[in-house]
């Protein structure tokens, strides 16, 4: 097991007075992002009781019968919100489905929300279970996790020499936040074929991800030299990693690191990632400060929302008939 560097981001809280010490924190984050693209956040603002209540609610939900969970199937959603079962996401194209189940949620967008009225694909209503206390636990965690994400985004902006609010005020609409509750059953329950994992090797799609982990283990991260490390997550810290759009934006000054999850052998694993993506219509192109004189950007510009939906289309069989057919043809437990 390897420890990730710990960064205190409390100085970037909403409404915090400017502090000269923030520059040193930003410089350290720049160094970390150049080397690994993963760190642990302290001072993130998610209270232990809020976190504990969300994990308890997640365990209660995933313990429901399949019929109750499938009543919230993500395939019924117009905006990719809801439940997906074991094997219903394929993050590594060489396999036939990850050995995890999850509940995808996002901001609460009613029918009068401007993006809903505009038909923006990632905006709309959630499908949350009707369990006592679930919505309250989810709402509290959502609010505190989004604040944590804003702290991280301010830190990253300053690390790139930009105004602290830059990532929170980009043109193209609202910053998109998507919160997932994930359950990885023990390997003894899944009997995976070789190469089939709880979460296949992948990179995240947006700018940054914040992960709450239950401490069971299983997260593995690839270093820039290609070696894999198992990551230990101390209690109370959030894992922060960068996504593809941040790598495009910084021209690989900061890396979008491949990572994966191996199901623990004899216990269930739960995690709660919050994915951050720039506004749907934001154009992501190489920052001038990340381009050497005379050099060309490594990546073509991307529209944030279009890139996000293209990756969802590639990894979810309900959105991808070819992927669905390949999974249907695979033998049970096959890789």
């Amino acid at each position: 097991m390897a420890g990730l560097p710990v960064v205190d981001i409390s100085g970037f809280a909403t409404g915090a007075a400017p502090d000269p010490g923030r520059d040193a924190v930003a410089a350290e984050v720049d160094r970390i992002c150049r080397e690994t693209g993963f760190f642990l956040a302290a001072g993130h603002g998610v209270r232990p009781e809020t976190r504990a209540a969300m994990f308890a609610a997640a365990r209660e939900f995933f313990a429901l019968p399949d019929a109750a969970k499938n009543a919230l199937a993500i395939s019924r959603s117009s905006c990719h919100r809801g439940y997906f079962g074991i094997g219903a996401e394929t993050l590594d194209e060489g396999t036939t489905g990850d050995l995890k189940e999850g509940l995808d949620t996002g901001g609460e967008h009613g029918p009068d929300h401007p993006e809903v009225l505009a038909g923006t694909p990632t905006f709309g209503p959630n499908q949350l279970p009707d369990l006592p206390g679930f919505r309250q636990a989810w709402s509290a965690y959502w609010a505190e996790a989004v604040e944590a994400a804003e702290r991280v985004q301010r830190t990253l902006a300053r690390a790139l020499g930009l105004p602290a609010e830059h990532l929170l005020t980009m043109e193209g609409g609202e910053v998109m936040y998507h919160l997932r509750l994930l359950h990885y059953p023990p390997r003894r329950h899944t009997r995976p074929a070789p190469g089939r994992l709880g979460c296949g090797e992948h990179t995240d799609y947006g700018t940054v991800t914040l992960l709450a982990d239950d401490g069971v283990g299983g997260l593995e991260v690839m270093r820039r030299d290609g070696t894999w490390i198992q990551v230990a997550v101390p209690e109370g810290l959030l894992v922060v990693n960068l996504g593809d759009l941040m790598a495009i934006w910084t021209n690989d000054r900061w890396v979008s690191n491949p990572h994966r999850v191996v199901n623990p052998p004899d216990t269930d694993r739960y995690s709660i990632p919050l994915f951050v993506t720039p506004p749907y219509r934001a154009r992501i192109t190489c920052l001038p400060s990340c381009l050497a004189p005379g050099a060309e950007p490594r990546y073509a510009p991307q529209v944030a929302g279009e890139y996000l939906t293209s990756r969802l289309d590639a990894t979810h069989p309900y959105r991808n008939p070819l992927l669905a057919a390949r999974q249907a043809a695979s033998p049970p437990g096959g890789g």
Side-chain angles (χ1 to χ4, degrees), residues 11-12 16-28 158:
F12 291 91
D19 179 353
R22 299 200 310 181
D23 290 341
V25 173
E28 174 66 3
R158 291 301 304 134

Side-chain angles (χ1 to χ4, degrees), residues 51-201:
R51 174 191 178 113
M54 187 72 269
F55 272 109
R59 291 185 181 96
E60 184 179 7
F61 169 70
F62 289 120
L64 291 174
D66 287 346
K69 292 182 288 189
N70 283 321
L72 307 176
I74 198 168
S75 59
R76 303 179 183 214
S77 171
S78 63
C79 55
H80 197 71
R81 311 279 179 84
Y83 171 75
F84 62 91
I86 301 291
E89 182 179 44
T90 305
L91 290 175
D92 184 339
E93 294 182 1
T95 70
T96 54
D98 293 350
L99 298 174
K100 68 176 187 295
E101 59 180 338
L103 182 69
D104 274 17
T105 72
E108 291 279 26
H109 305 128
D112 295 331
H113 189 284
E115 296 286 7
V116 176
L117 292 172
T120 307
T122 54
F123 287 79
N126 285 310
Q127 296 191 90
L128 298 181
D130 186 19
L131 292 171
F134 187 97
R135 182 173 288 274
Q136 292 85 345
W138 179 89
S139 296
Y141 190 87
W142 173 270
E144 294 179 19
V146 168
E147 164 61 18
E150 291 183 352
R151 296 183 187 191
V152 170
Q153 289 173 91
R154 293 185 186 104
T155 308
L156 296 174
R158 291 301 304 134
L160 290 168
L162 298 168
E165 300 296 318
H166 182 87
L167 291 173
L168 301 173
T169 57
M170 294 177 67
E171 294 183 356
E174 297 180 15
V175 175
M176 295 184 286
Y177 298 101
H178 292 97
L179 184 71
R180 306 187 98 186
L181 309 180
L182 296 174
H183 169 228
Y184 299 83
R187 285 202 298 272
R188 59 183 167 82
H189 287 175
T190 56
R191 297 186 296 277
R196 194 175 184 196
L197 303 174
C199 186
E201 178 184 338

Side-chain angles (χ1 to χ4, degrees), residues 149-267:
E150 291 183 352
R151 296 183 187 191
V152 170
Q153 289 173 91
R154 293 185 186 104
T155 308
L156 296 174
R158 291 301 304 134
L160 290 168
L162 298 168
E165 300 296 318
H166 182 87
L167 291 173
L168 301 173
T169 57
M170 294 177 67
E171 294 183 356
E174 297 180 15
V175 175
M176 295 184 286
Y177 298 101
H178 292 97
L179 184 71
R180 306 187 98 186
L181 309 180
L182 296 174
H183 169 228
Y184 299 83
R187 285 202 298 272
R188 59 183 167 82
H189 287 175
T190 56
R191 297 186 296 277
R196 194 175 184 196
L197 303 174
C199 186
E201 178 184 338
H202 68 287
T203 56
D204 289 346
Y205 313 143
T207 47
V208 66
T209 303
L210 288 77
L211 173 75
D213 180 287
D214 66 357
V216 166
L219 175 63
E220 298 184 352
V221 176
M222 183 186 288
R223 298 184 192 270
R224 272 198 151 172
D225 63 7
T227 60
W228 287 94
I229 58 172
Q230 298 179 46
V231 174
V233 184
E235 185 175 356
L237 301 181
L238 295 177
V239 180
V240 177
N241 68 276
L242 306 178
D244 298 343
L245 293 179
M246 184 62 80
I248 293 168
W249 205 50
T250 62
N251 210 38
D252 280 345
R253 166 175 164 176
W254 291 355
V255 64
S256 176
N257 264 39
H259 50 287
R260 64 193 183 192
V261 174
V262 178
N263 299 58
D266 296 309
T267 188

